[in-house]
Amino acid sequence: MYLHGAHVTSWKPAGGEEALFLSSKSRRENGRAIRGGIPICFPWFGDKADDPKAPAHGFARTKAWQLESIAQAGDGVTVSMFTESDEDTKRWWPHEFRIVHRVTFAPELRLELEVTNIGKSSLRFEEALHSYHRVGDVLKTRLAGLDSIQYIDKTDANRKKTQQGDIAIVSETDRVYLNTSGAVELEDPVLRRRTRVAKENSRTTVVWNPWVQKSHTLSDFADDEWMQMLCIETSNVSDFAVDLAPGQRHEMKALVRIANF
Ligand code: TA6
């Protein structure tokens, strides 16, 4: 886990294999997000609606966070990092906030993203734990848990559609599943494992795979790496952005468990 963006890049449950995908082309540079692991998107998701010059997915993933604590937690370790508003953040987003990323590395991975409005005016934000799950061959995976859920298809002019059955990746996939609080389960017959992602205080789930074409446009991503990853993003975006009054706090949680078969 890096202070650069409070970014988790690896979790390997005891006796198991690496759960997260990290690009061989990812670059550790100031102002640049790590490609892979779990980037934090905050306080907006994707492009900033009213400012095309603003950094995609907000500034949290390229900001230097501070270490708050490291503590033993049962059969795991909890690492807590935080950052707050400053002159830089206010250039893009005129609000006072404190954000904490609390991660417990244990037989399961627990992620808690806590946002507090420390200002005098209310604020609205979007957030996502933009997790890159490592898979054996994305073409052979199936993602369950979003059947009959409405989604925004960002590869088709943001048209709203309804999911039928499990998700199979057969082309570029960039979808925002709306008003869903349920867990999802990723079946991976090549790595012979099932990854379950449960969540709290999250009303959207984003599913992303860049496929062939888009992979070529990403300078920090190798051309064939799209086969080894699937992003499943615990989030509150689009119509489900979060409103916080002064002094209020919001905590989104994700819990990742892997079962081998
Ligand atoms: O979460 C999916 C998405 O919003 C896609 O639209 C794609 O752009 C992806 O994020 C990666 O974004 P990035 O800014 O990290 O290249």
Side-chain angles (χ1 to χ4, degrees):
M1 185 175 179
Y2 286 78
L3 288 166
H4 181 74
H7 199 130
V8 174
T9 56
S10 171
W11 170 55
K12 201 173 173 183
E17 290 199 29
E18 178 56 55
L20 300 173
F21 164 86
L22 184 63
S23 173
S24 59
K25 296 244 176 139
S26 181
R27 299 205 288 272
R28 307 270 188 285
E29 281 167 28
N30 279 343
R32 197 185 183 95
I34 295 170
R35 177 63 71 187
I38 309 178
I40 294 171
C41 307
F42 174 88
W44 59 84
F45 184 79
D47 297 332
K48 192 165 186 284
D50 59 1
D51 185 351
K53 290 197 303 306
H57 290 322
F59 44 67
R61 62 178 180 163
T62 54
K63 203 170 184 306
W65 293 50
Q66 295 171 62
L67 182 62
E68 184 171 67
S69 63
I70 300 181
Q72 192 75 36
D75 51 4
V77 172
T78 299
V79 180
S80 193
M81 295 180 179
F82 75 97
T83 192
E84 292 183 346
S85 41
D86 56 29
E87 289 324 302
D88 272 346
T89 63
K90 286 181 197 157
R91 265 188 324 118
W92 299 111
W93 197 60
H95 296 289
E96 315 249 0
F97 67 89
R98 178 184 166 87
I99 181 168
V100 179
H101 192 202
R102 202 172 291 113
V103 181
T104 302
F105 299 89
E108 78 267 334
L109 181 68
R110 177 183 294 275
L111 308 154
E112 299 163 345
L113 195 62
E114 179 193 280
V115 178
T116 307
N117 178 352
I118 58 173
K120 296 190 177 49
S121 58
S122 63
L123 57 81
R124 168 173 290 192
F125 67 91
E126 294 177 297
E127 58 183 348
L129 292 163
H130 194 302
S131 305
Y132 288 72
H133 291 272
R134 178 172 159 261
V135 297
D137 174 353
V138 76
L139 299 172
K140 297 199 172 77
T141 62
R142 289 293 176 275
L143 183 62
L146 294 165
D147 181 29
S148 71
I149 302 289
Q150 193 180 45
Y151 65 92
I152 297 169
D153 187 344
K154 293 173 81 171
T155 68
D156 185 11
N158 290 335
R159 277 196 183 82
K160 283 196 174 166
K161 303 175 180 175
T162 302
Q163 180 62 38
Q164 273 148 15
D166 295 349
I167 299 170
I169 304 299
V170 294
S171 60
E172 181 185 353
T173 302
D174 193 353
R175 301 174 181 175
V176 179
Y177 287 85
L178 302 166
N179 201 11
T180 170
S181 307
V184 296
E185 210 158 78
L186 177 62
E187 177 116 353
D188 182 342
V190 175
L191 295 182
R192 304 189 60 74
R193 64 187 186 182
R194 212 170 273 116
T195 302
R196 180 180 165 78
V197 183
K199 57 180 191 162
E200 287 173 36
N201 294 334
S202 158
R203 301 278 299 284
T204 56
T205 297
V206 177
V207 178
W208 179 58
N209 183 279
W211 203 247
V212 180
Q213 241 58 48
K214 173 94 181 193
S215 297
H216 290 302
T217 68
L218 301 173
S219 61
D220 57 354
F221 192 78
D223 290 351
D224 61 355
E225 282 181 332
W226 61 272
M227 298 185 76
Q228 300 155 26
M229 51 70 65
L230 184 65
C231 285
I232 303 169
E233 308 167 30
T234 301
S235 53
N236 285 302
V237 303
S238 185
D239 306 344
F240 296 89
V242 179
D243 291 311
L244 279 186
Q248 261 193 327
R249 172 175 303 172
H250 179 273
E251 189 170 42
M252 180 174 76
K253 298 182 181 177
L255 182 67
V256 186
R257 279 202 181 94
I258 294 182
N260 298 312
F261 57 85

